[in-house]
Amino acid sequence: MRFLELASRNLKETYRDPLALGFLLAFPLLFMLLFGVVVGGEATPNFPIGIIDNDHTQVSQVFVNEALAEVDAFEVSTYDDATKAMKDLKFGDLKAYIVIPQGFGQQVIQSGQGDEANITLNITYDESDIMVSEQIISMINAVTRSFANIEIPITIDSNPIHIETEITYIDFIAPGIIIFGLLILIPTSARIMIHDKEKGMLSRLLTTPARPVDFISGYSLCLIAIAIVQIIIFIAAAWGFGMDIVGSLWLAFLIFFLAGLCSIGIGMVVASLTKTENQAEPLCWIFAMPLAILSGCWFSLEIMPSYIRNIAYAFPFAHAIDASRGVLIRGVGLEAISGDLLFLVGWAVGIFAIGVILFRRSMRS
Amino acid sequence: MPSDRAESVKVSSDLAIQTSNMTKIFNGLVAVDGIDLNIKKGELFALLGPNGAGKTTTINMLCCLLKPTGGTATVMGYDINRQPFKIKEIIGVSPQETVISEHLNCWENLALIGKIHSIKAGELKIRSQQLLETMGLGDRAKDQARKFSGGMKRRLNIMMALIHKPEVLFLDEPTLGLDPQARRAIWEYIVRLKRETTILLTTHYMDEADFLADRIGIMDKGKIVALGTSTELKISVLEKHTMIIYAWNLTQRVISEMRSKYDEVEVTNGTMIITDKRLDFKEIVDLLHSSGAVVRSAYIKEPTLDDVFLHITGKELRE
């Protein structure tokens, strides 16, 4: 098998170069450590919030349609019952939902008349997004107080889902850092291919009977092996830093694997379009860095303007982060992330097809 | 012999490489300008010329890395435009730059090319062993190539082109940038390969072409400007030869006799320099002896390929 020989050669070239290998594995780990230790991030939020109005009074309707809807940071949608809202929360479509209890309007009117009142809201939120959930609670608190015109804090009957696990920042950040590590496969795959092109190895091998498909498979297999090792190390490291793994590890692995394939494909396309490492390297980082920021490796996508989010979701990595957070932190199953998975598969197939076409074209001029 | 070897081009069965008006133009720049070459099976043919003459482009077209802009060629009867993979199976190419996998050892580098050529493991091992011994890399076979000297890397570079016993071997500047000792070692090996396989070698070293090649094609600005054996080339372009004789007891009579026979005869302090179109070494030495002169040493100054190149192109080969 020609491609196996090519793949084995590519692998040896990679793992026998300790510096390159070190960079490949240590760089994202360093990021994980940094983010695990230094927690940060200011938000201009945009949170999808669900409302279940059990009060059905004029006051509660005004509270929903005017007070809450006017908050820029909220994207309010109403639900009839908690079951559907809980489902959306679990799938990541909602950040929190608020149940307005019966008697809410009455209590607000009492407090408006200066009487003693006990205003209660029941909030169920996604605890895995710590930064986000804390902001949501404080914002709802503030909105309600200003609506009811009272100085004292209202009672927030908070109901975080997943209370049995203590969600730490590392839980939230780890999937993003793993995806960032896989984004580094873009420059890695481009470098491995372009190195052979620049040093004449590709030309040399092109004078042998090896076919284009041998080359593509030879490079891909090597890079896939690297990706698999990376994913294993990253997951192990994240676990070592304290990440809880709630859902299926295999499902998470599949998501990361598909994201890795997309990175390899992008790198292959860049390598086919450029002639030297000096051209390829910056071009790869131009893809990798913005994609890392856009896809929510380090920050929640909810804090970004909607048009940026639209751009982010055109690429596979935001989907991979959403899906892997869903699986790892919230423990959702295949059904919940099937849309994201399909998008990832489509992207991987598409980018590989483009890579093969471009590679064939660059083979013989 | 497979039946699908090209019939459109007139193929003589004793020709390994045949090109017909083969041309390559890069963005309006003519790199190879309609060359016609016939290289016989078993022949070692050298393309000699300065950098940029079009030698490597010629090789790259013949080993199917580049498509000719015009014209065509066959390698062992296969058409370079229509049957590239047939050709790739039977050729070996040692590129101008040393192209080896630096983190692989000799065995692994040889296996890379060998396995792509579908050589069985057992045969591959025997063949690798033979090559390593003959090329003098046997004791370093397990070292990664990055630890090698330039000469050793060059040898490995050539070995990788030979592992599958190619019918046609392309050696693009096989000794570029090597010290004289390392060059000599590679020459000796190439000489041993002669007759076993057809070799097309490019070089810009005159002595290399002179020492190794059965025939030489002098290339300049994309064209073959002269073609023949080293001797033919030298004779064809040089009208006069020079003989230098160191002798005692040169009498006036013999000097006069020489002057009557040859175009130019100069004598200073026991050194006689004779120049003419035709010089017969034995005749001159005998004549001197019979006149009573004592010849201490005598030689005919051979014209060099440098002289040939200068004569044809009006410029020195080395920039």
Short mmCIF file of all heavy atoms in Angstrom, two decimals, chain A residues 1-2 5-6 8-9 12-14 16-18 196 199-212 363-365, chain B residues 24 63-67 80 85 88-89 93 95 99-104 108 111-113 115-118 144 157 160-161:
data_model
loop_
_atom_site.label_atom_id
_atom_site.label_comp_id
_atom_site.label_asym_id
_atom_site.label_seq_id
_atom_site.Cartn_x
_atom_site.Cartn_y
_atom_site.Cartn_z
N MET A 1 0.84 -1.20 0.00
CA MET A 1 0.00 0.00 0.00
C MET A 1 0.88 1.25 0.00
O MET A 1 1.55 1.55 0.99
CB MET A 1 -0.90 0.01 1.24
CG MET A 1 -2.03 -0.99 1.16
SD MET A 1 -3.10 -0.58 -0.24
CE MET A 1 -4.40 -1.75 0.00
N ARG A 2 0.83 1.96 -1.11
CA ARG A 2 1.71 3.12 -1.24
C ARG A 2 1.39 4.18 -0.20
O ARG A 2 2.27 4.78 0.40
CB ARG A 2 1.55 3.73 -2.64
CG ARG A 2 2.30 2.95 -3.67
CD ARG A 2 1.91 3.36 -5.06
NE ARG A 2 2.60 2.51 -6.01
CZ ARG A 2 2.12 2.16 -7.19
NH1 ARG A 2 0.94 2.61 -7.58
NH2 ARG A 2 2.80 1.39 -8.00
N GLU A 5 2.83 3.58 3.20
CA GLU A 5 4.26 3.88 3.27
C GLU A 5 4.47 5.39 3.41
O GLU A 5 5.28 5.86 4.21
CB GLU A 5 4.96 3.35 2.01
CG GLU A 5 6.47 3.43 2.04
CD GLU A 5 7.08 2.70 3.23
OE1 GLU A 5 6.48 1.72 3.70
OE2 GLU A 5 8.15 3.14 3.71
N LEU A 6 3.69 6.15 2.62
CA LEU A 6 3.80 7.62 2.70
C LEU A 6 3.37 8.11 4.08
O LEU A 6 4.02 8.96 4.67
CB LEU A 6 2.93 8.26 1.61
CG LEU A 6 3.46 8.10 0.18
CD1 LEU A 6 2.39 8.47 -0.83
CD2 LEU A 6 4.70 8.95 -0.02
N SER A 8 3.43 6.46 6.90
CA SER A 8 4.37 6.09 7.94
C SER A 8 5.60 6.99 7.88
O SER A 8 6.15 7.40 8.90
CB SER A 8 4.73 4.61 7.83
OG SER A 8 6.06 4.43 7.42
N ARG A 9 6.01 7.35 6.67
CA ARG A 9 7.14 8.27 6.53
C ARG A 9 6.79 9.64 7.13
O ARG A 9 7.58 10.24 7.86
CB ARG A 9 7.52 8.39 5.05
CG ARG A 9 8.58 9.41 4.75
CD ARG A 9 7.98 10.65 4.13
NE ARG A 9 8.92 11.75 4.17
CZ ARG A 9 8.61 12.97 3.76
NH1 ARG A 9 7.42 13.24 3.31
NH2 ARG A 9 9.50 13.94 3.84
N LYS A 12 6.90 9.46 10.90
CA LYS A 12 8.27 9.42 11.44
C LYS A 12 8.89 10.81 11.38
O LYS A 12 9.55 11.24 12.31
CB LYS A 12 9.12 8.43 10.63
CG LYS A 12 8.82 6.97 10.97
CD LYS A 12 9.63 6.04 10.06
CE LYS A 12 9.12 4.61 10.15
NZ LYS A 12 9.50 3.83 8.96
N GLU A 13 8.68 11.48 10.23
CA GLU A 13 9.23 12.84 10.10
C GLU A 13 8.69 13.73 11.21
O GLU A 13 9.37 14.64 11.66
CB GLU A 13 8.86 13.43 8.73
CG GLU A 13 9.80 13.03 7.59
CD GLU A 13 11.17 13.71 7.69
OE1 GLU A 13 11.29 14.71 8.39
OE2 GLU A 13 12.11 13.20 7.05
N THR A 14 7.47 13.49 11.64
CA THR A 14 6.87 14.37 12.65
C THR A 14 7.33 14.00 14.06
O THR A 14 7.81 14.84 14.80
CB THR A 14 5.33 14.30 12.57
OG1 THR A 14 4.96 14.51 11.21
CG2 THR A 14 4.70 15.35 13.43
N ARG A 16 9.81 12.29 15.07
CA ARG A 16 11.25 12.32 15.34
C ARG A 16 11.78 13.74 15.41
O ARG A 16 12.97 13.96 15.51
CB ARG A 16 11.99 11.53 14.26
CG ARG A 16 11.77 10.04 14.42
CD ARG A 16 12.53 9.23 13.41
NE ARG A 16 12.15 7.82 13.50
CZ ARG A 16 12.52 6.93 12.59
NH1 ARG A 16 13.25 7.29 11.55
NH2 ARG A 16 12.16 5.67 12.72
N ASP A 17 10.89 14.72 15.30
CA ASP A 17 11.30 16.11 15.44
C ASP A 17 10.69 16.61 16.75
O ASP A 17 9.57 17.11 16.78
CB ASP A 17 10.76 16.91 14.24
CG ASP A 17 11.35 18.29 14.18
OD1 ASP A 17 12.01 18.68 15.17
OD2 ASP A 17 11.15 18.98 13.18
N PRO A 18 11.43 16.44 17.87
CA PRO A 18 10.83 16.68 19.18
C PRO A 18 10.30 18.11 19.36
O PRO A 18 9.29 18.31 20.01
CB PRO A 18 11.99 16.41 20.16
CG PRO A 18 13.08 15.80 19.36
CD PRO A 18 12.84 16.09 17.93
N ASP A 196 7.34 19.42 2.24
CA ASP A 196 7.70 18.49 1.18
C ASP A 196 7.72 19.17 -0.18
O ASP A 196 8.54 18.85 -1.04
CB ASP A 196 6.70 17.33 1.14
CG ASP A 196 7.02 16.28 2.19
OD1 ASP A 196 8.08 16.42 2.84
OD2 ASP A 196 6.24 15.34 2.36
N LYS A 199 10.90 21.58 -0.18
CA LYS A 199 12.20 20.90 -0.17
C LYS A 199 12.35 19.95 -1.36
O LYS A 199 13.36 19.27 -1.48
CB LYS A 199 12.37 20.11 1.13
CG LYS A 199 12.34 20.95 2.38
CD LYS A 199 13.61 21.78 2.52
CE LYS A 199 13.47 22.73 3.71
NZ LYS A 199 14.42 23.82 3.69
N GLY A 200 11.34 19.86 -2.21
CA GLY A 200 11.46 19.03 -3.41
C GLY A 200 11.04 17.58 -3.20
O GLY A 200 11.08 16.79 -4.13
N MET A 201 10.64 17.22 -1.95
CA MET A 201 10.25 15.83 -1.71
C MET A 201 9.00 15.48 -2.50
O MET A 201 8.90 14.38 -3.04
CB MET A 201 10.05 15.60 -0.21
CG MET A 201 9.73 14.15 0.15
SD MET A 201 10.86 12.92 -0.54
CE MET A 201 12.02 12.65 0.78
N LEU A 202 8.08 16.44 -2.60
CA LEU A 202 6.86 16.15 -3.35
C LEU A 202 7.22 15.88 -4.81
O LEU A 202 6.73 14.92 -5.42
CB LEU A 202 5.88 17.32 -3.23
CG LEU A 202 4.49 17.04 -3.78
CD1 LEU A 202 3.83 15.89 -3.06
CD2 LEU A 202 3.62 18.29 -3.66
N SER A 203 8.10 16.71 -5.38
CA SER A 203 8.52 16.50 -6.77
C SER A 203 9.17 15.13 -6.92
O SER A 203 8.91 14.41 -7.86
CB SER A 203 9.52 17.57 -7.20
OG SER A 203 8.86 18.79 -7.33
N ARG A 204 10.04 14.81 -5.96
CA ARG A 204 10.71 13.51 -6.03
C ARG A 204 9.69 12.38 -6.02
O ARG A 204 9.76 11.45 -6.82
CB ARG A 204 11.68 13.36 -4.85
CG ARG A 204 12.12 11.93 -4.61
CD ARG A 204 13.43 11.80 -3.90
NE ARG A 204 14.27 10.90 -4.67
CZ ARG A 204 15.57 10.79 -4.57
NH1 ARG A 204 16.22 11.55 -3.76
NH2 ARG A 204 16.24 9.94 -5.29
N LEU A 205 8.73 12.47 -5.09
CA LEU A 205 7.73 11.41 -4.99
C LEU A 205 6.80 11.40 -6.20
O LEU A 205 6.23 10.37 -6.55
CB LEU A 205 6.92 11.57 -3.69
CG LEU A 205 7.75 11.35 -2.42
CD1 LEU A 205 6.95 11.71 -1.18
CD2 LEU A 205 8.24 9.90 -2.32
N LEU A 206 6.66 12.56 -6.85
CA LEU A 206 5.82 12.62 -8.04
C LEU A 206 6.48 11.97 -9.25
O LEU A 206 5.85 11.77 -10.27
CB LEU A 206 5.46 14.08 -8.36
CG LEU A 206 4.38 14.71 -7.47
CD1 LEU A 206 4.24 16.19 -7.75
CD2 LEU A 206 3.04 14.02 -7.65
N THR A 207 7.77 11.64 -9.14
CA THR A 207 8.41 10.89 -10.22
C THR A 207 8.29 9.38 -9.98
O THR A 207 8.83 8.59 -10.72
CB THR A 207 9.90 11.26 -10.38
OG1 THR A 207 10.60 10.83 -9.22
CG2 THR A 207 10.10 12.74 -10.59
N THR A 208 7.60 9.01 -8.90
CA THR A 208 7.34 7.60 -8.63
C THR A 208 5.90 7.28 -9.05
O THR A 208 5.14 8.20 -9.35
CB THR A 208 7.48 7.28 -7.12
OG1 THR A 208 6.40 7.90 -6.44
CG2 THR A 208 8.79 7.79 -6.55
N PRO A 209 5.52 6.01 -9.06
CA PRO A 209 4.15 5.69 -9.50
C PRO A 209 3.07 6.08 -8.48
O PRO A 209 1.91 5.74 -8.70
CB PRO A 209 4.19 4.16 -9.68
CG PRO A 209 5.61 3.77 -9.66
CD PRO A 209 6.32 4.78 -8.85
N ALA A 210 3.40 6.74 -7.38
CA ALA A 210 2.37 7.11 -6.40
C ALA A 210 1.35 8.05 -7.04
O ALA A 210 1.71 8.94 -7.79
CB ALA A 210 3.01 7.78 -5.19
N ARG A 211 0.06 7.81 -6.72
CA ARG A 211 -1.03 8.59 -7.31
C ARG A 211 -1.47 9.69 -6.35
O ARG A 211 -1.19 9.62 -5.16
CB ARG A 211 -2.23 7.66 -7.59
CG ARG A 211 -1.88 6.43 -8.38
CD ARG A 211 -2.10 6.68 -9.85
NE ARG A 211 -1.57 5.60 -10.67
CZ ARG A 211 -1.92 5.40 -11.92
NH1 ARG A 211 -2.79 6.20 -12.50
NH2 ARG A 211 -1.38 4.42 -12.63
N PRO A 212 -2.21 10.68 -6.87
CA PRO A 212 -2.67 11.76 -6.00
C PRO A 212 -3.38 11.25 -4.74
O PRO A 212 -3.15 11.75 -3.64
CB PRO A 212 -3.65 12.55 -6.88
CG PRO A 212 -3.22 12.27 -8.27
CD PRO A 212 -2.62 10.89 -8.26
N MET A 363 -0.37 19.37 -9.03
CA MET A 363 0.59 18.28 -9.22
C MET A 363 1.46 18.40 -10.46
O MET A 363 2.65 18.18 -10.44
CB MET A 363 -0.15 16.95 -9.28
CG MET A 363 -0.04 16.14 -8.02
SD MET A 363 -0.84 14.56 -8.19
CE MET A 363 0.22 13.73 -9.34
N ARG A 364 0.85 18.73 -11.57
CA ARG A 364 1.62 18.75 -12.80
C ARG A 364 1.28 19.98 -13.61
O ARG A 364 0.14 20.16 -14.03
CB ARG A 364 1.31 17.50 -13.62
CG ARG A 364 2.33 17.23 -14.70
CD ARG A 364 1.96 16.00 -15.49
NE ARG A 364 2.95 15.74 -16.54
CZ ARG A 364 2.69 15.01 -17.60
NH1 ARG A 364 1.49 14.49 -17.77
NH2 ARG A 364 3.62 14.81 -18.51
N SER A 365 2.25 20.85 -13.78
CA SER A 365 1.97 22.09 -14.51
C SER A 365 2.57 22.04 -15.89
O SER A 365 3.48 21.30 -16.15
CB SER A 365 2.55 23.27 -13.73
OG SER A 365 3.80 22.92 -13.21
N LYS B 24 9.37 23.95 -23.71
CA LYS B 24 8.67 24.39 -22.50
C LYS B 24 8.80 25.89 -22.38
O LYS B 24 9.90 26.45 -22.40
CB LYS B 24 9.25 23.72 -21.25
CG LYS B 24 8.53 24.09 -19.96
CD LYS B 24 7.14 23.46 -19.91
CE LYS B 24 6.30 24.02 -18.77
NZ LYS B 24 4.96 23.42 -18.72
N CYS B 63 10.63 13.13 -16.96
CA CYS B 63 10.13 12.29 -15.87
C CYS B 63 8.72 12.72 -15.46
O CYS B 63 8.27 12.41 -14.36
CB CYS B 63 11.10 12.20 -14.70
SG CYS B 63 11.58 13.75 -14.01
N CYS B 64 8.04 13.41 -16.35
CA CYS B 64 6.60 13.69 -16.23
C CYS B 64 6.22 14.60 -15.07
O CYS B 64 5.12 14.51 -14.53
CB CYS B 64 5.78 12.40 -16.16
SG CYS B 64 6.19 11.22 -17.42
N LEU B 65 7.15 15.45 -14.64
CA LEU B 65 6.81 16.45 -13.63
C LEU B 65 6.23 17.70 -14.30
O LEU B 65 5.44 18.41 -13.71
CB LEU B 65 8.04 16.84 -12.82
CG LEU B 65 8.46 15.94 -11.69
CD1 LEU B 65 9.75 16.44 -11.07
CD2 LEU B 65 7.37 15.88 -10.63
N LEU B 66 6.68 17.96 -15.50
CA LEU B 66 6.21 19.13 -16.25
C LEU B 66 5.64 18.66 -17.58
O LEU B 66 6.16 17.72 -18.18
CB LEU B 66 7.38 20.09 -16.54
CG LEU B 66 7.99 20.86 -15.40
CD1 LEU B 66 9.22 21.62 -15.90
CD2 LEU B 66 6.99 21.85 -14.81
N LYS B 67 4.58 19.34 -18.01
CA LYS B 67 4.03 19.03 -19.33
C LYS B 67 4.70 19.92 -20.35
O LYS B 67 4.78 21.13 -20.14
CB LYS B 67 2.52 19.27 -19.33
CG LYS B 67 1.73 18.10 -18.82
CD LYS B 67 0.24 18.28 -19.06
CE LYS B 67 -0.50 16.99 -18.71
NZ LYS B 67 -1.84 17.23 -18.24
N ILE B 80 5.39 10.67 -22.96
CA ILE B 80 5.37 11.43 -21.69
C ILE B 80 4.05 12.14 -21.45
O ILE B 80 3.68 12.42 -20.31
CB ILE B 80 6.53 12.46 -21.59
CG1 ILE B 80 6.48 13.47 -22.75
CG2 ILE B 80 7.88 11.78 -21.54
CD1 ILE B 80 7.36 14.68 -22.50
N PHE B 85 2.32 7.46 -15.95
CA PHE B 85 2.51 6.49 -14.87
C PHE B 85 3.28 5.25 -15.33
O PHE B 85 3.94 4.60 -14.53
CB PHE B 85 1.18 6.14 -14.21
CG PHE B 85 0.72 7.22 -13.28
CD1 PHE B 85 -0.21 8.16 -13.69
CD2 PHE B 85 1.28 7.36 -12.01
CE1 PHE B 85 -0.60 9.19 -12.83
CE2 PHE B 85 0.90 8.38 -11.16
CZ PHE B 85 -0.05 9.29 -11.58
N LYS B 88 6.77 6.51 -14.94
CA LYS B 88 7.19 6.64 -13.54
C LYS B 88 7.57 5.29 -12.93
O LYS B 88 8.33 5.24 -11.97
CB LYS B 88 6.08 7.30 -12.72
CG LYS B 88 5.94 8.79 -13.04
CD LYS B 88 4.75 9.40 -12.33
CE LYS B 88 4.61 10.87 -12.72
NZ LYS B 88 3.62 11.56 -11.88
N GLU B 89 7.02 4.22 -13.50
CA GLU B 89 7.35 2.90 -12.96
C GLU B 89 8.76 2.45 -13.33
O GLU B 89 9.36 1.63 -12.63
CB GLU B 89 6.33 1.86 -13.45
CG GLU B 89 5.10 1.83 -12.56
CD GLU B 89 3.96 1.03 -13.16
OE1 GLU B 89 4.21 0.20 -14.05
OE2 GLU B 89 2.82 1.24 -12.72
N VAL B 93 14.90 8.93 -10.45
CA VAL B 93 15.29 10.32 -10.58
C VAL B 93 16.05 10.75 -9.33
O VAL B 93 15.57 10.60 -8.21
CB VAL B 93 14.06 11.24 -10.76
CG1 VAL B 93 14.51 12.68 -10.97
CG2 VAL B 93 13.20 10.77 -11.92
N PRO B 95 17.19 14.07 -7.85
CA PRO B 95 17.01 15.50 -8.12
C PRO B 95 18.27 16.33 -7.82
O PRO B 95 19.17 15.87 -7.11
CB PRO B 95 15.89 15.91 -7.18
CG PRO B 95 15.40 14.68 -6.52
CD PRO B 95 16.43 13.63 -6.69
N VAL B 99 17.22 15.52 -1.96
CA VAL B 99 15.87 15.36 -1.43
C VAL B 99 15.76 14.01 -0.75
O VAL B 99 15.57 12.98 -1.37
CB VAL B 99 14.81 15.48 -2.54
CG1 VAL B 99 13.42 15.34 -1.94
CG2 VAL B 99 14.94 16.80 -3.26
N ILE B 100 15.96 14.03 0.59
CA ILE B 100 15.84 12.81 1.37
C ILE B 100 14.99 13.15 2.58
O ILE B 100 14.82 14.31 2.91
CB ILE B 100 17.23 12.31 1.82
CG1 ILE B 100 17.99 13.44 2.53
CG2 ILE B 100 18.04 11.82 0.64
CD1 ILE B 100 19.38 13.09 2.95
N SER B 101 14.45 12.14 3.23
CA SER B 101 13.69 12.39 4.46
C SER B 101 14.69 12.45 5.60
O SER B 101 15.27 11.44 5.98
CB SER B 101 12.67 11.27 4.69
OG SER B 101 11.39 11.75 4.47
N GLU B 102 14.88 13.65 6.15
CA GLU B 102 15.97 13.89 7.10
C GLU B 102 15.83 13.07 8.38
O GLU B 102 16.82 12.70 8.99
CB GLU B 102 16.03 15.38 7.47
CG GLU B 102 16.33 16.29 6.28
CD GLU B 102 17.82 16.51 6.07
OE1 GLU B 102 18.59 16.36 7.04
OE2 GLU B 102 18.21 16.83 4.92
N HIS B 103 14.60 12.82 8.80
CA HIS B 103 14.41 12.09 10.06
C HIS B 103 14.32 10.58 9.86
O HIS B 103 14.04 9.84 10.80
CB HIS B 103 13.18 12.60 10.80
CG HIS B 103 13.37 13.97 11.38
ND1 HIS B 103 13.04 15.12 10.70
CD2 HIS B 103 13.93 14.38 12.54
CE1 HIS B 103 13.35 16.16 11.43
NE2 HIS B 103 13.88 15.75 12.55
N LEU B 104 14.53 10.13 8.63
CA LEU B 104 14.52 8.70 8.36
C LEU B 104 15.96 8.23 8.16
O LEU B 104 16.80 8.99 7.68
CB LEU B 104 13.70 8.41 7.09
CG LEU B 104 12.22 8.03 7.26
CD1 LEU B 104 11.49 9.10 8.08
CD2 LEU B 104 11.54 7.89 5.93
N GLU B 108 15.14 3.31 5.84
CA GLU B 108 13.77 3.82 5.72
C GLU B 108 13.60 4.69 4.48
O GLU B 108 12.56 4.65 3.82
CB GLU B 108 13.41 4.60 6.99
CG GLU B 108 13.26 3.70 8.20
CD GLU B 108 13.25 4.47 9.52
OE1 GLU B 108 13.81 5.59 9.58
OE2 GLU B 108 12.70 3.94 10.49
N ALA B 111 13.41 2.33 1.67
CA ALA B 111 12.15 1.59 1.70
C ALA B 111 11.00 2.46 1.22
O ALA B 111 10.07 1.98 0.56
CB ALA B 111 11.87 1.08 3.11
N LEU B 112 11.07 3.75 1.52
CA LEU B 112 10.00 4.67 1.09
C LEU B 112 9.81 4.59 -0.42
O LEU B 112 8.71 4.35 -0.92
CB LEU B 112 10.36 6.10 1.51
CG LEU B 112 9.48 7.22 0.96
CD1 LEU B 112 8.07 7.13 1.53
CD2 LEU B 112 10.07 8.59 1.29
N ILE B 113 10.92 4.74 -1.16
CA ILE B 113 10.82 4.70 -2.62
C ILE B 113 10.57 3.26 -3.09
O ILE B 113 9.74 3.02 -3.97
CB ILE B 113 12.12 5.25 -3.28
CG1 ILE B 113 12.42 6.65 -2.76
CG2 ILE B 113 12.00 5.23 -4.80
CD1 ILE B 113 11.46 7.72 -3.20
N LYS B 115 9.06 0.74 -1.61
CA LYS B 115 7.70 0.24 -1.40
C LYS B 115 6.70 0.93 -2.31
O LYS B 115 5.70 0.34 -2.71
CB LYS B 115 7.30 0.39 0.07
CG LYS B 115 7.99 -0.65 0.95
CD LYS B 115 7.48 -0.61 2.37
CE LYS B 115 8.23 -1.61 3.24
NZ LYS B 115 7.96 -1.39 4.66
N ILE B 116 6.96 2.21 -2.63
CA ILE B 116 6.07 2.88 -3.59
C ILE B 116 6.17 2.16 -4.93
O ILE B 116 5.19 2.05 -5.67
CB ILE B 116 6.43 4.37 -3.72
CG1 ILE B 116 6.06 5.12 -2.44
CG2 ILE B 116 5.71 5.01 -4.90
CD1 ILE B 116 6.49 6.56 -2.39
N HIS B 117 7.35 1.63 -5.23
CA HIS B 117 7.54 0.86 -6.46
C HIS B 117 7.14 -0.61 -6.29
O HIS B 117 7.49 -1.44 -7.14
CB HIS B 117 8.99 0.97 -6.94
CG HIS B 117 9.27 2.24 -7.68
ND1 HIS B 117 8.97 2.42 -9.00
CD2 HIS B 117 9.80 3.41 -7.27
CE1 HIS B 117 9.32 3.63 -9.39
NE2 HIS B 117 9.82 4.27 -8.35
N SER B 118 6.50 -0.91 -5.18
CA SER B 118 5.97 -2.25 -4.90
C SER B 118 7.04 -3.34 -4.91
O SER B 118 6.80 -4.46 -5.37
CB SER B 118 4.86 -2.62 -5.90
OG SER B 118 3.94 -1.60 -6.04
N GLN B 144 19.90 8.47 11.27
CA GLN B 144 18.99 9.37 10.57
C GLN B 144 19.80 10.25 9.61
O GLN B 144 20.91 10.69 9.92
CB GLN B 144 18.22 10.24 11.56
CG GLN B 144 17.17 9.46 12.32
CD GLN B 144 16.35 10.33 13.26
OE1 GLN B 144 16.22 11.53 13.05
NE2 GLN B 144 15.78 9.71 14.28
N ASN B 157 20.81 10.23 -1.84
CA ASN B 157 19.93 10.82 -2.86
C ASN B 157 19.96 10.00 -4.15
O ASN B 157 18.92 9.72 -4.74
CB ASN B 157 20.44 12.25 -3.13
CG ASN B 157 19.41 13.12 -3.82
OD1 ASN B 157 18.24 13.08 -3.49
ND2 ASN B 157 19.86 13.91 -4.80
N MET B 160 18.44 6.39 -3.66
CA MET B 160 16.97 6.37 -3.69
C MET B 160 16.43 6.31 -5.12
O MET B 160 15.32 5.86 -5.35
CB MET B 160 16.40 7.58 -2.95
CG MET B 160 16.54 7.48 -1.45
SD MET B 160 16.22 9.03 -0.60
CE MET B 160 14.43 9.12 -0.71
N ALA B 161 17.25 6.79 -6.06
CA ALA B 161 16.83 6.72 -7.46
C ALA B 161 17.12 5.35 -8.06
O ALA B 161 16.67 5.03 -9.16
CB ALA B 161 17.53 7.81 -8.26
#
